[in-house]
Amino acid sequence: MGKFKLFWKNNGIGYLFLTPWLIGILTLTAIPMGASLYFSFTSYDMFNAPTWVGLDNYLSLFSDAKWLQSVKVTLIYVLLGVPFQLAFALFIAVILNKGIGGLRVYRAVYYVPSLFGGSVAIAILWRQIFGGNGLVNNILGKFGFEGINWISTPDTALYTLIILMIWQFGASMVIFLAGLKQVPVELYESAKIDGAGSLKQFFQITLPLITPVVFFNLVMGIIGAFQAFTPAYIVSGGTGGPLNSTLFYTLYLYQKGFTQFAMGYASAMAWILLIVIAFATAIVFATSKKWVYYQG
Amino acid sequence: MKRSLLLFTMITLAFLLLLGCSSNEDDSNNESSDGGSEEQIEISFSWWGDTGRHEKYNEIIDLFEEAHPTIKVDRQFGGWGDYWDRLTTQVSGGNAPDVVSMHQFYVSDYARRGALHVLNDKVESGELDLSDYPEAALDSGKVGDDIVMVAKGITMPGFVYNTAVFDELGVDYPQSDWTWDDFVDKAYEIKEAIGEDGWAIEDGSGGQLQPLFRYFARQHGQDLFTEEGKLGFEEQVLTDWWTMWDQMRQDGVIPDAATSNEYDGLPLEANMFATKKVALLGLPANQMYLYEEQMAEGEINIVRDPHIDGGPNGEYIEGAYLSITEASPHKEAAAEFIEFFVSNEEAVKIFKTEQGPPAGTEASNTVIEELTPPEKRAVEYIQTTVDLSEPAPYAPEGVNELETLFSDNAEAIAFGQKSVEQAVADFMNEAKSILGE
C-alpha cells in the first residue's frame, strides 16, 4: 500500500468527520485573519481598494494618545480583574465544596451571571445599579454616605466594570468546584490527624492540588479579559467615556474600524492585541512549570 | 451501536445545515440577475428611529408592497447610534440595503467614497419624479453636482420649552428672535427659579458638532468646514463657545459633567427635558409633538436658535433623506420605492411630519390638512426658518473623527481636565491634521 493510501485508511474517516470544522476554520477564521494581516499594512477605508503603506499603521499607534489610553485601561482591567475574579471564584467554590445544603441551588445561582456573560441586558442593569440614583447609592445613603455617579465619573467608571467582571465569576467557579472534588479526601483526614487547621489545609493541600485548574482558569481569564468589549460598549454608549476612562482596546479598535473607516489601522491594532495575548499566555505557560503541580 | 447512530445523525445534520446555508446564497444570487418585471424581487430598506416611527414606516411599506405585488421589501431598522455603525459595516461587506436612510452630516463620507448611486439620470428622465420639489430641497440632496439623496422630510432645529413648566417657574417664555446674550440671561433666570431641582438647559458645549456649534460658527460668518473640506472656523469662535458653556457649568446653570454623562443617550421619556430636570431643549422641530404627547400638560413651543446681534443667520436646510446604494442590484425598484415613499398620497398621510414635513410641494400640502396642533406648530416654524437658511458646505471625509475630537475635548473641559485654552489648542491642531492641513 502506498503511503497516501495508508494515511487515508488510518485517518481518512477522521478527516471526513472533521470536514465541517475544517470548512469553518478556513472560511471563518483563517482567510479573514490573512485578510486582516494584509489590511494592517494598508490604508483601507472599506469602500475603496486598500493602498500599501507598509508599517505606517503600526508606527503611528505609538504616537496616538487614545491608543495609549486604551492600552492603559485594558491593562488595568486585566491585571486587577483577572486575579480578583479568580480569587473570588475560588473562595466561593471552597465554601460550596464544604457540602452545605442546597449546593445545587447555589451552584446554579452563582453561575447565572456568567451565563448572561457579556450580555447587553447585564450591562444596562449595571448602569442602573451604579447610576446616580442607583442601588449602590441607595445602600450607601442608608449608612449616611453620599454617593457619586459611579459610572459617569472618570475615576470610578473603570472599577465598576472590573466589579462587573468579578461578579461574573460563575464559570471559573464551576471549574474550580470540579477541581476541588478531585482532591482525595484521605489527604485532609491525615492532615487533620496531624493537627493542621483549615487555613493550613487549604494552602498545603487544596491549593497545590488544584493548581492545574488555577492555571487553566488564569489562561482563559487573561484571554477573555483582553478581548472584553460589550460591557464598556454598552455602559459608555459606545464612546469609552467618561473621558475615555472605559476605552477598552477592542472598543477603540471598533471605533477606528467601523465609525472612522480606518480599517487598516484597526487591523494593525488587532494584530498587536493578538501578539500581546500570545505573549501574556506564553509567560503564564513558561512560569507554570514552577507552580503547577500535576498529580502522579 | 446507539452511540454511533447518534454521531451519524449529528454529522448528517451538520452537513444538511451547511448545504442549507449554501443554497440560501444561491437564492440571493439568482435574485441579483434581475430584469424580468414579472419576476418577484426583493429590495431592502433601512432607517433609524423609535418604535413609533418603525410602525409608521412599516405601514408605508405594506402599502407599497400592495401597490407593487412583484416587489417585496426587507425592513431593517434600529436606533440612530447603531444605525451608522451597522451601515458602515454593511456597505463595506457588500450587503448594504438597496435603499438607505441618509443624513447630510454623513452623506459625504459615503458619497465621496462612491458608495451611493448618483440619481441625476433617474431624476432627469422622470423615472424618479421630483418635479414638484423646491430647488432648495433638491439641492440639499446634492454632493457637488450629483444628486445622491432625496429628502423624506425637511426639518429645522430650535429650542423647545413647555409652557406649563415655564408658567410654574414664573419665567417669561423665550422670544424667537433672541441673541446668545438673551439666551445666557434666560438660562440664569431659569436656574434661579428652578433651584436645586434642576438646571436651565442641558450642556450643549460638546456632543455633536451640529447644529448648535455650527450655527454659532455660521453666525460669525464662518462655518465648520470650507467648500474644500478644510476647517472653516477660527480659534476664537471655539474659545468663545466653550467659555460661555464653561461659565454656566461653573455657576451650576447647566449640569455638571458626571450628571450630563449619566443622562447621555437615555430614551425620550427618561431624558432631562421630559422629566423636567431642564426647562429648555435643543431639538429638531419635527420631534416636538413627541414631547407634547409625553409630557401631558402644557404646550411645547419652539424658538429659533439664538443668534449674534447683527451677525448673519446660522440656518441651513436639514432633513432626513433616502439614497440608493451603488451596489444595489435593483436600482429601478429602489427608485420606485423612493418615489412612492415621498409622493404617494396615502404614504404621505402616514408619514405626516415624522422626519419633518415632506419636501415635495403637493405632498406637503396634503399633509398640512392632517396635522395635530403641535405638528402644525412645527411645520409653521420649519417653513419660517427654512426661508432664513443659506446653503452649507458638506462635511468632508473624516467628519466622524472630528466629531469625536470635539466631544472629547468638550468633555475634558467639563470634567476639569483641560482648560478652555488647552482644549481649543488641542482641537485645532488635531482637527487640522485629520483634515490634512
Side-chain angles (χ1 to χ4, degrees), chain A residues 248-268:
Chain A
F248 282 19
Y249 194 89
T250 48
L251 187 55
Y252 186 47
L253 189 156
Y254 175 80
Q255 286 180 359
K256 272 287 167 195
F258 292 100
T259 62
Q260 297 176 9
F261 307 96
M263 196 44 90
Y265 195 84
S267 297

Side-chain angles (χ1 to χ4, degrees), chain A residues 63-91:
Chain A
S63 55
D64 178 349
K66 267 189 120 168
W67 181 77
L68 292 171
Q69 168 70 9
S70 77
V71 169
K72 187 179 131 200
V73 166
T74 309
L75 283 181
I76 294 177
Y77 185 73
V78 172
L79 291 178
L80 279 181
V82 174
F84 274 109
Q85 189 202 40
L86 286 194
F88 195 62
L90 183 56
F91 178 70

Side-chain angles (χ1 to χ4, degrees), chain B residues 173-365:
Chain B
Y173 306 150
Q175 299 296 313
S176 197
D177 230 10
W178 58 345
T179 63
W180 286 103
D181 291 339
D182 300 336
F183 170 80
V184 171
D185 289 346
K186 185 60 78 185
Y188 278 84
E189 195 187 339
I190 294 170
K191 175 62 190 177
E192 183 81 14
I194 211 167
E196 289 300 300
D197 299 333
W199 300 271
I201 187 168
E202 287 177 289
D203 190 336
S205 62
Q208 292 182 300
L209 273 163
Q210 66 171 16
L212 223 42
F213 176 63
R214 183 165 207 179
Y215 272 36
F216 193 69
R218 286 165 65 84
Q219 291 159 352
H220 280 89
Q222 304 172 19
D223 206 323
L224 290 184
F225 321 105
T226 64
E227 294 287 349
E228 295 76 38
K230 304 291 180 201
L231 209 58
F233 58 89
E234 284 156 17
E235 217 170 284
Q236 190 57 44
V237 175
L238 188 55
T239 309
D240 291 349
W241 180 250
W242 276 338
T243 307
M244 176 179 82
W245 289 100
D246 195 42
Q247 189 59 51
M248 287 199 281
R249 191 182 304 110
Q250 284 174 21
D251 293 339
V253 173
I254 62 170
D256 59 279
T259 308
S260 297
N261 187 282
E262 192 178 353
Y263 277 90
D264 215 21
L266 287 190
L268 187 149
E269 60 272 15
N271 75 16
M272 286 188 156
F273 185 74
T275 56
K276 300 181 184 172
K277 291 266 178 212
V278 299
L280 284 168
L281 175 71
L283 192 75
N286 59 301
Q287 293 178 21
M288 281 166 66
Y289 82 96
L290 294 172
Y291 284 92
E292 188 147 324
E293 279 172 4
Q294 180 66 34
M295 293 177 79
E297 47 173 1
E299 269 183 16
I300 306 293
N301 285 338
I302 187 163
V303 293
R304 279 177 70 191
D305 281 344
H307 57 84
I308 292 167
D309 220 2
N313 289 333
E315 276 88 353
Y316 56 93
I317 290 198
E318 256 191 281
Y321 296 79
L322 293 171
S323 290
I324 299 177
T325 47
E326 188 58 49
S328 162
H330 304 297
K331 299 200 176 70
E332 261 95 84
E336 265 178 76
F337 176 75
I338 292 182
E339 186 171 313
F340 185 91
F341 196 102
V342 298
S343 63
N344 177 277
E345 199 182 324
E346 295 306 309
V348 162
K349 278 182 182 166
I350 296 171
F351 179 84
K352 296 219 279 184
T353 60
E354 184 56 36
Q355 292 188 291
T361 313
E362 201 188 318
S364 161
N365 290 338

Side-chain angles (χ1 to χ4, degrees), chain A residues 77 113 117 119-137 149-152 156-169 230-232 234-236 246, chain B residues 262:
Chain A
Y77 185 73
S119 89
V120 172
I122 292 296
I124 290 175
L125 175 75
W126 216 247
R127 230 191 127 90
Q128 301 285 332
I129 291 177
F130 282 94
N133 300 313
L135 183 69
V136 171
N137 281 347
N149 298 319
W150 302 95
I151 280 193
S152 307
T156 52
L158 177 59
Y159 298 98
T160 62
L161 291 181
I162 291 176
I163 294 172
L164 173 60
M165 177 188 180
I166 296 172
W167 179 65
Q168 295 175 328
F169 64 92
T230 321
I234 301 298
V235 167
S236 72
T246 61
Chain B
E262 192 178 353

